Structure formats: C-alpha cells, structure tokens
Amino acid sequence: MGRWRIGVAFRVLAALLLIVALAAGLGGFALHTFRTLHHDVRTLAEQRLPTILAAAKLDRQAALLSAQAAALILAKDEGGQETEMMRILDLVDTLERLIADLEDGGVDTGDVATIREVKTGFVDSLHRLNMLVAQRNSLETALEAKLTDVLEGGGAAHGQPAPPPDAAGYRWHREALIALHSLQAAASAERRSDIDREERLLIGSLRQLDDAISLLHPSERVEAFAMRARLAGWADEGEGVIALRRQLLQTRDAIDGTLGRNRALADLLGAASTDLFHAGQSAARGATSAAAERLSTAEVTYGAVLATTALIMILTFLYLRESVILRLRGLQTAMAAHIGGRHAAIPTDGDDEIADMGRNLRFFLDVIAAREEELTENEQLFRTVAVTAPFPLLMLRASDGAILTRNRRAEAWLGLPADGEDTDDGTAPTIADILPDAADREALRAMAPADPAGEGAAPLVDREVRVVSGSGRAGWALLSAAPATVKGEAVVLVGLVDIAARRQAEQAVRESERKYRGLVENLKNHAVFAHDLQGRFTYLSPSAPDVFGHPAEEMARDYTAFMPPDEIPRWQKRQEELMSGRPFTRAYEAAYIRADGSRRTLAVVETTTVDEAGHVTGVEGIAHDVTDQRSYESHLQALVRELEKSNAELANFAYVASHDLREPLRMVNSYLGLLRRRHSHELSDEAREFMTYASEGALRMDRLILDLLEYSRVGRGDRPLVTLDLGAPLEAVRRNLAPAIRESGATVTLPEKTPVILGDRTDLERLFQNLLGNAIKYRHPDRVPEIVVDVAHGPEGWHLTVRDNGIGIPVEQAERIFKIFQRLHARSRYDGNGIGLAVCRKVVEHHGGRIWMEPNDTGEGSTFHVILPDRERAAA
C-alpha cells in the first residue's frame, strides 16, 4: 500500500478552511469573554464585598473582647464579675455571627476553622480568667480575715511590757514577737523567696519558743502554750497566713499568664481578620484586573486573527512558486554540477515527489562517499590501536622470525629500535633477540601455514615465556599469538603481557601462607578449625586434639557425638543461622565431653567463608578451653553475694545499734533534766556542776553515735549514681549555711560554670557541707571569712578547690585530719567529733576520686583539693 501524500492543491484548500475556522473562533472567543466578565462582576458583588465587611468587623470585635478581659480583672466583687462577663458573652455572640457570615461568604473552610479555633481558645481563656479572678478575690478576703486575727491575737503580746533580760519570760516574749513579725511580713510579701525566708524565720522562732516555754514557771506555761498554739495555727501549711499568701501570688501569676494568652489570641484573631480583609481586597482587585485583561486580550486577538488571515492568503499565492518551480530548478542545477565533478547542494526538503527525487540522488552520492571514508578511518584506527596499545605487539615473518613491525610499548619494554629501523649492527631484529628459549620460538614457527592460502595452527593463548630485552634484562611474560597472511606472506601476530609483578606477588603469597600455617600449627591451647555447611570439619590444627580432648579423625567424622545433650539444641540453632546463607562473625561458648568423661566449656569465635560468587560455604574459627576461668568467675560471684549480704547485715546492725545506744542516752538526759528542774535547789554547786558535765557528755555521745551512723551510710551503694550538675549541691549547701554565713559575715564565691558528672547528690551535699561549714567554723577572729570554690578540668577529671583565709592547718597534719575521731583543737574552742573530714574522704573515694589539703602560700588559711572523675571515667 503506497504512502499517502499531502499535495499542493490540498494545502491550498487547507489554508482556506483555516481562514474560515479563525473567523468562527473569533466570534466564539468574544462571546466567552463577555460571559466571563458578567460572572466576575456578579461574584464580586455577592461574595467578596460582604466578606470584606465581616473581616473588618471581626478585627474590631477582637479588640473589644481584649479590652473587656482587662476590665474583668479589675472587678473586686461577684456582682462586678457577673456584669463584665455578661458584656463579654454579648461580644462573643456577635463574634460568632461574624464568623458565620464569613463561612456563608465563601471564605476558605480552613481559614474559618482557624478563626473558630482561635475564638474557642479566646472564650476558654476568658472563662478561666473569670474563675481565677473569683479565686483571687476569695483568697484576698480570707487572707485579710486571717491577718486581722493575727493582729488582734498578737496585740496582747505587743501590749505586754517586755520582761527583764534576766527573767525567764524574756526569751519567750522576744521569740513570740519575732514569730508575729514574720507572720505579718509573710502576709505582705510580694515574692515567693521573701515568703520562704519569713517561713524559715517563723519555724526557727517556734522552735526557740518551745525551748523558752520549757524554762517558764508552770503557772506561766498555760498562757505561753495558748500563744504557741495560735501562732502554729496562723502558720498552718494548709490554711495559715503563709499558705494563703502563696496561693494568692500563684493565682495572680496565673491571671497574668491567662491575660497574656488572651491578648495573644486576640492578636491572632485580629491578624486573621486583617488577612481576610486584605485577601478580599486582593480578590476584588484581581477580578477587576482580570476583566480589564480579558478586554485587552480580546482586542489583541481580533487584530491577530485579521492579520493572520491576510498573511495566509499571501502565502498561498507564493506557495506554488516557492515549493514547485524553484525546487525543480534547484534539483536540475545540482545534477548538472555532480556530473561535472563539482559539489552542489541537493534540495531534499518536503514530502512530495520533488523531495523524493532529491533524497534518492543524495542517498547514492552519500553511500559512495561513506564507503571511501570508512576504509580510510578503519586503516587509521587499526594503526592507532596497534601503535598505542599498553602491551607489546609484534608482527613476525613466519619463515625466519624477523620482526616486521612493532608498537611503541614493544620498543620501550624490549629495547627494540623504532619501527622501520635496524639494530646497531645493521640487521633487522628477530624473535630470537627476545625469546631465548628455542621451544618458544619453535612454537611460533609451527603456527605458520605451509601454504599462504591455507590455515595455520590454532592460536597460542597465555603461554608463559622468558623474555630478554635489548639491554640484557630478563623477565617473564604471557605470550598470545595467531597466524595471518599479509600481502600473500605468512606472518604471526604476537602479543606480550608483563607478569613479573604477578610472579613476585604469587611468591609473596606462598611465603605468607607458609608463615601463617606455621603460626597456626604451632599455636598451643587454642584450636583453629574450619567446617562446611553440614558441620563436617575440613581443617583442624595440630593443637585441636588437646583442646577438644579427642583425636582429630574422630572429631572430623562427627564432633556432635562429644556434645552433652543440653548442647545439641544450641548447636542446631547455630547451624540454622549458618544455613541461612547470611555472612556473620559470632562468639559463643559450647560444652564438650572429653575422652576422660569430664565436661569442659570452650569459648569459640568464628566467621563465615564465602566463594567468589559471595555464597557462604562454611566457617573458620578458633576455640580455647575456658572451664577453669568460668569456675573462678562463679567463685568470685559467690564471694560478691556473700559480701553484699554481709554489708546489708552490717548496715542493719549499725542502725539497730545506734537506736539501742541512743535510747539509754535519752533516758539519762531526761532524768538529769528532771533532777536539775526539781532538786537543783537541794544540790550543792559542785553536784550541779557534775550534773552539767554528765548531761554534756551524754549529748556528745548522742552526736557521736549520729555521726558514726552517717559515716557508715556514706557510699553504701543503695542509691545509684545519676547525672547531675555540681552547681545544684553547691547551691543547696550555700542555702543551708545561709544563717551561719550571715552571722559570720562570710563571702562564699561559687564558680559561674559547673560541670556535669555522675554522682550521688546526697553524698555530694555532705561533702560540700563539711568543707564550707569547716571554713566558716574555723575562721580567724581578726579576718572576715572569704571562701572561694573553683573548678577546672584536668587529666584525672574535674579538679575542685575550696580555699579559705581561716586559722589554717599545719602541713604535718594534712593526712591526720582525714582520719576518724582526729581533732586538732580542744573541744572548749571548737565543738565536733572529728568525723566530718573522714566523711569527706569516704564520699570522694566512693565517687572514684581523691581529696587532700594544702596550706595557702600566703600563710593564711588552707585549700582543700578534690578530684572527681568525669562522666566517661565514672561510667567505666
């Protein structure tokens, strides 16, 4: 079936039809343009304008709600709150109607949902604000009533004259006034830290008040106990002045937070309404611009269609001249030029008969030129490949072995003269110059055919031959050769590959294999083995019988026969992993029964072997007997369990002993106190002095027992070490020592940045409590105490220093002070039991560090050094 062509007449008819189609399309485009303009104007009037108005009202409504929330906070009674909330609810209803108008106006559902979500959060925050304001008013009323009760109840204490300083009631009266002042200060405090400070002062005053009451005459105690009960009631943690003041501050903070959230939500609502307003404006402007653009496009389209119609008519008239007459004339000119041996362009454009004639002529001329060019390129290609090949190539004459041609690599490696040149003696080089072995030369000669027209022997492939270069250097090469006939003469084409490096590598591999085989075979107490996928040993080192306890031939037949029954399931599981075909390296322990019947445990490390395709073919590994090692580990674990049990019993004994020892001491103190209170007037001064000595001794004994109990608890291991910042225990200790710091006027400087370590916070607080407390306690009477804590990282971990300017410690006592019950000063000057620094050393050593003391270079005070390991060392 012939190919269908588009003729010239058909193209003219198509041009006329195109003109008609353009006119029809122009009319349809105009009608569509006017309909679109009408729809845009209607949409703008019905949807965009109401949306813009609703968005503007929404912004104003959000501002009104935010202002009303501020008014709600100012309400001080329930009636005021209710009035403000009624106004807020009216504004919320208006806000909901505006959102509904936006939804009806065609605003994106996602935008409406966002506004509604913000509105819901806004209303929720208003309800919470109302609840918090009511709670605040209630707390203020309750606090005011409680404070009135304090003022009325404490008026008696204020109105009474203070007893003389030497009277028994002076201390009671002073502590009661301090407690009342603390309550009043706490009730008016504006910061939690002030409340905490006043609470601590109040608690201390109540404790001092209890001691003072015990010194009053029984007739005065009733009133004192009543005042003490009222003070305790006013300081009650649940409904006291301090608790109410804390709740009031928390409620005010909550009101401020809720009001801030309310304002943020109002801002979000206003921003959303503003975005909708601008979006509506942009949409209106877009609709207007689109209408104008459509009108402009319609005008351009009309002009373009009219111009196109005129152009198509002109082109139709010019088509016959350009596509027929001129093309035939060009084809005739090209044929005449090629016949005369000149080059001329052949017209081949188009898909009609004229174009076919031009393409056929061009095809025949191109085929002839391509064949000639191909022959030239092939000759040049083969010559280039042969000359620049990276290995030597030679062409020999089969009859005498003369080297007819060679490439550059052959000239360089074999020391041959350049192609076309002779040797120094004027003769052409031959194969005998580079192949010293006659057998190799004979193999090449035998390849040539007896008849140049016939076929020679089969090609030689990768024959190892010894070669000699022109300089006399010998080497090895792989020779490949094939017979050929060139210009009627029998030749042999030879290629050589230098394998000297490969032979050296093979020799190195053989030497390495010999060395490592000797290492494996001489390895004692370890068995090197290999087995296939079925579990059959394919190799066992000479030491294997000593390790497994059976001859190698018996192990090679079936080594599972020497496994105990409980080991067989584990062996089967390991075989399943091996048969899965996934490479692995694994370590495990397996049990074997030796020939003497003893059960032994072997530690095995093995890895899979794979073939060239990457498939698992078996395993190779090493095994050694760890039975004695495991027995020793079990013995150590038993000893550890016994030690843990002993430590637990000692801890329990220390607790029970301390409790049982303190009970008689409490009884001695109680009865000595009774004797002093009831019969002091009957005793002589010497007897009363003896009673004081006995009471002080009992108190020292009680403190000594408590210190011993604390010393025994340090580092018991019942609390795990956790990650913590050293700044936390340092700050806690500074707060604990705040009264002593104020009393002594000391300055305590802590580092700005503290490290994070693994430690026990309770033990670290004991450490810093003792070090900082001692620095304050042993201060110099003529100097204001200055204590500086510093920290730096060193090779052993974190290095902390505690430096003071106190009375100092002699260098010869630097080790003694860390021993238990060692004191450097008389008890009359400084109290204590000599346990604090011993506790410090125990805490530091429990954390894996060390502690020591050095006198300061200035001669004033001393410096305690503490090394604590960083987290990595502590974890290890």
Side-chain angles (χ1 to χ4, degrees):
M1 184 177 181
R3 184 176 58 180
W4 184 72
R5 297 177 182 274
I6 301 177
V8 177
F10 180 80
R11 294 177 188 178
V12 174
L13 179 60
L16 295 175
L17 292 176
L18 179 60
I19 294 173
V20 176
L22 288 173
L26 184 62
F29 176 77
L31 181 61
H32 173 72
T33 299
F34 287 116
R35 286 180 178 176
T36 303
L37 288 174
H38 178 267
H39 177 267
D40 290 345
V41 173
R42 182 177 180 181
T43 301
L44 178 64
E46 294 181 354
Q47 295 183 2
R48 299 299 180 186
L49 293 179
T51 300
I52 294 172
L53 294 176
K57 293 179 181 178
L58 188 66
D59 187 16
R60 179 176 176 275
Q61 205 68 15
L64 290 176
L65 277 172
S66 179
Q68 199 63 39
L72 178 63
I73 296 176
L74 301 177
K76 294 298 183 179
D77 54 20
E78 186 176 354
Q81 282 185 247
E82 185 175 356
T83 301
E84 297 300 332
M85 280 305 295
M86 290 296 293
R87 294 173 180 173
I88 288 173
L89 292 176
D90 290 341
L91 293 175
V92 170
D93 291 339
T94 303
L95 184 63
E96 181 61 33
R97 288 195 299 272
L98 292 175
I99 294 174
D101 292 342
L102 290 175
E103 193 171 16
D104 296 336
V107 177
D108 183 70
T109 55
D111 295 338
V112 175
T114 301
I115 294 174
R116 195 178 296 279
E117 182 180 355
V118 173
K119 188 270 294 183
T120 303
F122 198 91
V123 174
D124 291 341
S125 67
L126 288 173
H127 283 296
R128 172 170 172 74
L129 186 63
N130 183 47
M131 179 189 69
L132 291 173
V133 169
Q135 183 178 352
R136 180 202 62 189
N137 295 339
S138 175
L139 288 173
E140 289 178 347
T141 302
L143 181 61
E144 183 178 357
K146 186 67 71 173
L147 187 58
T148 302
D149 189 19
V150 171
L151 295 174
E152 293 176 354
H158 281 287
Q160 292 179 358
D166 57 347
Y170 175 78
R171 182 180 176 186
W172 172 85
H173 185 268
R174 180 171 57 85
E175 296 299 333
L177 289 179
I178 292 175
L180 284 171
H181 291 161
S182 298
L183 280 171
Q184 294 172 6
S188 60
E190 292 297 331
R191 294 182 299 179
R192 292 187 178 88
S193 59
D194 297 338
I195 295 176
D196 294 338
R197 184 185 68 251
E198 298 300 334
E199 184 179 23
R200 288 194 297 271
L201 293 175
L202 177 60
I203 293 173
S205 298
L206 291 177
R207 291 175 180 170
Q208 297 294 329
L209 197 61
D210 291 338
D211 295 339
I213 290 174
S214 64
L215 301 177
L216 294 176
H217 191 273
S219 61
E220 298 174 340
R221 292 180 185 173
V222 176
E223 181 181 357
F225 276 124
M227 175 58 71
R228 169 60 170 84
R230 286 197 298 274
L231 288 172
W234 293 331
D236 182 64
E237 295 182 357
E239 298 180 355
V241 172
I242 295 177
L244 289 174
R245 188 61 183 178
R246 279 200 180 98
Q247 295 176 17
L248 181 58
L249 291 181
Q250 291 175 355
T251 304
R252 289 178 178 176
D253 292 342
I255 288 174
D256 293 339
T258 305
L259 185 59
R261 182 172 182 272
N262 182 278
R263 290 170 180 167
L265 291 171
D267 293 340
L268 287 176
L269 193 59
S273 63
T274 302
D275 291 342
L276 288 177
F277 180 83
H278 291 315
Q281 283 186 330
S282 298
R285 294 191 189 101
T288 305
S289 299
E293 185 177 355
R294 289 190 182 91
L295 287 175
S296 177
T297 302
E299 293 175 357
V300 173
T301 303
Y302 279 116
V305 171
L306 291 175
T308 302
T309 303
L311 180 61
I312 290 175
M313 293 177 66
I314 295 173
L315 292 176
T316 302
F317 289 112
L318 296 176
Y319 174 75
L320 289 176
R321 181 177 178 276
E322 295 293 333
S323 62
V324 178
I325 298 173
L326 294 181
R327 289 169 62 203
L328 288 173
R329 186 177 297 169
L331 184 60
Q332 182 182 5
T333 302
M335 291 174 64
H338 281 288
I339 292 173
R342 302 186 307 276
H343 176 73
I346 301 173
T348 58
D349 297 336
D351 192 25
D352 51 15
E353 293 80 359
I354 299 173
D356 289 344
M357 293 171 60
R359 282 191 286 269
N360 290 335
L361 176 60
R362 184 173 181 176
F363 172 74
F364 288 116
L365 295 177
D366 289 344
V367 168
I368 294 171
R371 292 293 175 85
E372 294 176 351
E373 184 178 0
E374 183 179 357
L375 291 174
T376 303
E377 289 179 354
N378 286 341
E379 182 180 359
Q380 184 64 30
L381 176 62
F382 288 130
R383 181 176 295 277
T384 301
V385 170
V387 171
T388 61
F391 50 86
L393 291 177
L394 308 171
M395 186 171 70
L396 313 177
R397 190 163 46 230
S399 59
D400 57 1
I403 301 176
L404 301 178
T405 185
R406 56 272 185 186
N407 65 354
R408 295 171 186 170
R409 179 60 180 161
E411 295 170 359
W413 187 47
L414 299 174
L416 297 174
D419 193 14
E421 297 180 3
D422 294 333
T423 59
D424 294 338
D425 56 3
T427 62
T430 66
I431 193 63
D433 296 333
I434 60 175
L435 293 182
D437 295 338
D440 297 332
R441 297 196 299 272
E442 181 60 26
L444 291 177
R445 190 193 62 77
M447 295 183 64
D451 183 4
E455 295 182 0
L460 285 177
V461 178
D462 293 343
R463 177 188 178 100
E464 287 195 13
V465 297
R466 193 160 57 92
V467 296
V468 179
S469 66
S471 61
R473 180 176 57 85
W476 290 87
L478 284 180
L479 182 145
S480 298
T485 300
V486 177
K487 298 181 180 180
E489 185 178 14
V491 297
V492 178
L493 303 177
V494 178
L496 298 172
V497 177
D498 187 3
I499 60 171
R502 192 189 75 179
R503 288 177 65 88
Q504 292 176 359
E506 290 174 351
Q507 179 63 27
V509 169
R510 287 193 292 269
E511 181 65 23
S512 176
E513 182 180 2
R514 183 192 61 79
K515 180 176 66 175
Y516 285 108
R517 179 176 292 275
L519 178 64
V520 170
E521 291 179 352
N522 294 324
L523 187 64
K524 303 299 183 182
N525 301 324
H526 288 71
V528 180
F529 64 88
H531 66 71
D532 57 16
L533 295 177
Q534 286 69 40
R536 295 187 298 268
F537 281 120
T538 57
Y539 174 77
L540 285 170
S541 63
S543 59
D546 296 334
V547 175
F548 289 103
H550 295 278
E553 56 272 12
E554 294 182 6
M555 295 293 296
R557 282 196 298 269
D558 182 13
Y559 66 90
T560 60
F562 309 115
M563 291 182 180
D566 59 321
E567 183 64 29
I568 297 299
R570 293 190 289 271
W571 174 80
Q572 291 174 343
K573 187 174 182 180
R574 294 194 293 269
Q575 281 298 109
E576 291 176 0
E577 183 181 6
L578 175 61
M579 296 299 292
S580 66
R582 293 187 297 271
F584 61 79
T585 297
R586 64 190 179 190
Y588 60 89
E589 292 186 358
Y592 282 86
I593 305 299
R594 296 176 65 90
D596 58 5
S598 62
R599 179 188 177 107
R600 308 296 289 179
T601 301
L602 300 182
V604 182
V605 178
E606 60 186 16
T607 185
T608 51
T609 57
V610 296
D611 56 16
E612 295 179 354
H615 300 143
V616 175
T617 59
V619 296
E620 295 176 343
I622 187 170
H624 68 283
D625 195 327
V626 294
T627 305
D628 296 337
Q629 179 182 348
R630 295 296 177 263
S631 298
Y632 180 69
E633 291 175 354
S634 299
H635 178 65
L636 284 181
Q637 291 176 358
L639 291 178
V640 169
R641 288 192 295 269
E642 288 295 328
L643 183 60
E644 291 176 348
K645 181 179 178 182
S646 175
N647 287 339
E649 292 175 352
L650 285 175
N652 187 51
F653 171 77
Y655 176 78
V656 174
S658 65
H659 181 274
D660 293 345
L661 287 173
R662 294 183 67 201
E663 182 60 30
L665 290 175
R666 285 194 291 268
M667 184 175 295
V668 169
N669 277 328
S670 298
Y671 280 102
L672 285 174
L674 287 175
L675 284 174
R676 185 183 297 107
R677 289 193 297 272
R678 296 181 181 180
H679 304 287
S680 176
H681 61 282
E682 301 175 3
L683 300 176
S684 64
D685 293 341
E686 184 179 19
R688 285 194 295 272
E689 183 179 2
F690 290 163
M691 290 176 61
T692 301
Y693 290 157
S695 178
E696 291 176 353
L699 289 175
R700 286 198 302 273
M701 186 65 181
D702 186 64
R703 286 197 297 270
L704 181 61
I705 292 171
L706 290 176
D707 290 343
L708 282 172
L709 183 61
E710 180 183 6
Y711 181 78
S712 67
R713 287 174 176 171
V714 173
R716 288 230 311 267
D718 52 351
R719 294 186 304 271
L721 299 182
V722 298
T723 301
L724 57 87
D725 192 323
L726 271 182
L730 282 171
E731 286 293 343
V733 169
R734 181 158 65 177
R735 289 195 299 270
N736 294 340
L737 295 175
I741 294 174
R742 287 196 301 271
E743 179 184 354
S744 63
T747 59
V748 179
T749 304
L750 300 182
E752 295 182 358
K753 294 183 179 180
T754 51
V756 177
I757 66 168
L758 282 179
D760 185 317
R761 175 163 178 165
T762 302
D763 284 349
L764 291 174
E765 287 183 2
R766 286 195 184 108
L767 169 66
F768 297 130
Q769 183 84 21
N770 282 312
L771 294 178
L772 297 181
N774 285 350
I776 298 174
K777 177 179 177 181
Y778 297 103
R779 60 185 179 271
H780 197 281
D782 299 331
R783 291 191 291 268
V784 176
E786 295 181 0
I787 306 166
V788 179
V789 181
D790 201 359
V791 61
H793 194 271
E796 298 181 58
W798 293 105
H799 185 180
L800 288 93
T801 57
V802 180
R803 181 185 180 93
D804 63 64
N805 63 343
I807 61 176
I809 300 174
V811 66
E812 61 270 12
Q813 304 291 341
E815 182 61 28
R816 178 189 169 200
I817 59 177
F818 291 104
K819 296 179 180 179
I820 194 168
F821 300 136
Q822 298 299 314
R823 298 176 48 85
L824 302 183
H825 307 281
R827 196 181 306 277
S828 59
R829 291 187 60 192
Y830 300 102
D831 61 348
N833 296 315
I835 294 180
L837 290 178
V839 170
C840 290
R841 169 170 281 184
K842 194 171 182 182
V843 168
V844 173
E845 290 178 349
H846 172 61
H847 284 75
R850 59 191 183 94
I851 183 173
W852 72 95
M853 186 281 301
E854 294 178 353
N856 292 336
D857 297 337
T858 60
E860 297 179 355
S862 55
T863 300
F864 283 83
H865 298 263
V866 178
I867 298 292
L868 294 175
D870 48 28
R871 281 185 290 181
E872 291 74 13
R873 289 189 178 93

